[in-house]
Every structure is written in C-alpha cells, then in structure tokens.
Amino acid sequence: VATGNLSNTAIVYPAGHVLQVKTSGPLANYDVATTSQNWPTALAFDSAIQSSSDVLIFFSATFIDTASGATNYVDVYFNGGGFGSTTSGLKIIDAEHYRNSGTATVRGNVGVHAQDTAPGSTTPSYNLWFNVGVAMNLTVSVATLTLMEIAR
C-alpha cells in the first residue's frame, strides 16, 4: 500500500518508524510546592495508536528549589500506559534536590526518556507524578512532555 493514513491497517511501517508525536509544553512555571501531584492531567495522542506500537516518552525541565530550610526532595515518575500510577509508575528521577537543610536556591536541568513497550490500549494517556518527600518550594520551569508512537 503506497497511500493512506494511520487508520489504514494495510500499511506496514518499518520498525522504529515514528508514526505520531504529541507534546505538552513548554510550561513557563509549574509550582509543585508542598504536595504530591501530577502534570499534565493527561497527555494522549490525537489518533489511536497501533496495537503493536511502543510509546517513547521524553521529559525535560529546569527544577528550581528555593529552600525552606528543611530537609526536602522530590521523586518523579512516568505514569499511564503500561507504567502504572502515582508511585507505582516508572521512577525516572530519584531524590532530586535532596538536601538536609539550607536556604540557598538550587537549580538543575533534567532530561529523561523511557520506552513503554506495553501501553495497554490503543488510546494510552500519560503524565508525570511528582512525589514530594518533604514540604519544599519547588518550581518546575520550561517543562516539556513529549510522546512518540514508534512502530515495532
């Protein structure tokens, strides 16, 4: 088959071929602050994915911790698809900005990716779960979450 679109099941895409991309962001500033929460609420593709596809997920951001003077840190998880939810998801960042105390501002850039080889449906959605270990003043700046459907 030489023509068609993603809904044409007669088209066989070569392994590794990017079929569609969806991005959320960049977000100017997102305050995680003192409670665990997710961002974005849900990010999904505009069209259903093929049942044989994988999903490649990218996250990048700048973390800015304006210290509260107490011990604090944040863990970050990929959620949705075949990853699980909240802290049962795939941990991608462990104890970011861990500190015992202090009042200096700490900035750090993060960039991570993972491949979901079992999205669980043709309409998976994804987000990030920020698990705040102890109350902190964390701002996530220029955050971008990108999904790529990859032919298997």
Side-chain angles (χ1 to χ4, degrees), residues 2-21:
T3 62
N5 58 35
L6 289 176
S7 64
N8 185 342
T9 57
I11 297 175
V12 178
Y13 296 97
H17 188 86
V18 176
L19 302 179
Q20 58 180 318
V21 177

Side-chain angles (χ1 to χ4, degrees), residues 28-122:
N29 284 310
Y30 178 71
D31 292 322
V32 174
T34 59
T35 59
S36 297
Q37 54 195 283
N38 62 24
W39 174 82
T41 303
L43 181 63
F45 293 105
D46 293 334
S47 300
I49 67 171
Q50 296 183 1
S51 59
S52 61
S53 289
D54 291 348
V55 177
L56 191 57
I57 304 167
F58 295 90
F59 169 65
S60 64
T62 298
F63 284 9
I64 306 165
D65 177 10
T66 52
S68 60
T71 300
N72 56 37
Y73 64 91
V74 64
D75 297 327
V76 184
Y77 298 80
F78 278 140
N79 281 188
F83 290 139
S85 62
T86 66
T87 58
S88 72
L90 176 66
K91 185 184 268 189
I92 57 170
I93 299 174
D94 183 38
E96 180 71 18
H97 290 302
Y98 179 84
R99 66 167 86 210
N100 287 324
S101 64
T103 56
T105 296
V106 177
R107 296 175 67 97
N109 297 317
V110 297
V112 293
H113 68 276
Q115 187 165 346
D116 188 354
T117 58
S121 80
T122 58

